[in-house]
Amino acid sequence: MAAINPSVFLLTVNGQIEGANFPEYDNLYCKYCFVYGHDWAPTSGLEEGITQITCKGSQSSHKLIWNFPLETTFKSTNPTGWPQLVVSVYGPDVFGNDVVRGYGATHIPFTPGQHTRTIPMFVPEPTWRLQKFTSWLMGRRPEYTDPKVVAQGEGREVTRVRSQGFVTVSFHIITKDMRKLGYDTGPSNTANTRLPHPAGPQRSSRTARSNTGDCFTV
């Protein structure tokens, strides 16, 4: 009976943090974690991790390669609070201090299949020039006490930031029992492809769209 009438659906996330592009920096590593709503719970895999330190290769002067695997499974009763992947990149400054080089976040793709996401990264900036000079001299750059704040909207409008770098992540998404609970994620599509909006009169169902362009129907 449980298999016929499931009470939860499953979202399996496989993939890897492929690499990054930070033209001004080298010898970087990446931390990651997942942020999700109250109705979600992990059932297997790792919720957070840290990559190895990598340096730029001779073939590509600006490309840092990690190829760090991602593998986790979530369960939920509704798509509210759909999981996000938060990444933060760190590396040494001129004095050898370990400082943050960028924060970024992206929603896990809604549709099953292969996807690639390029995440724009940013760092918090001091408000005053004196603070900027002092933080550079002492090796204490502004950073978030909890990187998960990057996936939230509260309080972000008062933070001064500067864009720098990109992180590339590939996903392989598998869902189970979403259709049985009344949620239609649509057919599999290739990475970064926007699903067409239904033509003609609007249906009674509701369509939710993520900031990555994928959508699902409730």
Side-chain angles (χ1 to χ4, degrees), residues 73-152:
T73 299
F74 298 94
K75 66 177 181 180
S76 181
T77 56
N78 69 82
T80 302
W82 193 274
Q84 298 182 63
L85 175 69
V86 175
V87 293
S88 50
V89 177
Y90 298 84
D93 62 7
V94 294
F95 301 108
N97 300 304
D98 212 27
V99 297
V100 64
R101 294 306 187 189
Y103 295 101
T106 184
H107 276 91
I108 302 303
F110 289 104
T111 54
Q114 298 284 350
H115 304 266
T116 300
R117 297 289 182 262
T118 300
I119 306 174
M121 306 295 285
F122 65 89
V123 290
E125 281 281 273
T127 306
W128 306 102
R129 291 185 178 181
L130 180 60
Q131 291 176 327
K132 186 174 183 178
F133 174 76
T134 303
S135 63
W136 173 81
L137 185 64
M138 301 182 66
R140 296 179 180 177
R141 306 293 178 89
E143 61 181 77
Y144 297 115
T145 55
D146 185 1
K148 293 182 179 180
V149 72
V150 175
Q152 304 168 0

Side-chain angles (χ1 to χ4, degrees), residues 15-18 32 49-52 66-70:
Q16 61 182 4
I17 303 176
E18 295 184 352
Y32 78 89
I50 181 172
T51 71
Q52 73 278 12
W66 289 307
N67 289 333
F68 192 82
L70 300 172

Side-chain angles (χ1 to χ4, degrees), residues 114-200:
Q114 298 284 350
H115 304 266
T116 300
R117 297 289 182 262
T118 300
I119 306 174
M121 306 295 285
F122 65 89
V123 290
E125 281 281 273
T127 306
W128 306 102
R129 291 185 178 181
L130 180 60
Q131 291 176 327
K132 186 174 183 178
F133 174 76
T134 303
S135 63
W136 173 81
L137 185 64
M138 301 182 66
R140 296 179 180 177
R141 306 293 178 89
E143 61 181 77
Y144 297 115
T145 55
D146 185 1
K148 293 182 179 180
V149 72
V150 175
Q152 304 168 0
E154 295 80 1
R156 289 281 305 278
E157 68 277 0
V158 299
T159 305
R160 183 179 180 182
V161 300
R162 173 170 53 89
S163 298
Q164 62 178 28
F166 298 89
V167 170
T168 302
V169 183
S170 61
F171 295 99
H172 180 70
I173 304 300
I174 301 173
T175 60
K176 183 177 184 292
D177 293 332
M178 290 194 68
R179 190 179 295 273
K180 291 180 180 179
L181 291 176
Y183 304 109
D184 185 8
T185 58
S188 300
N189 65 310
T190 57
N192 297 325
T193 299
R194 186 179 296 275
L195 295 179
H197 190 76

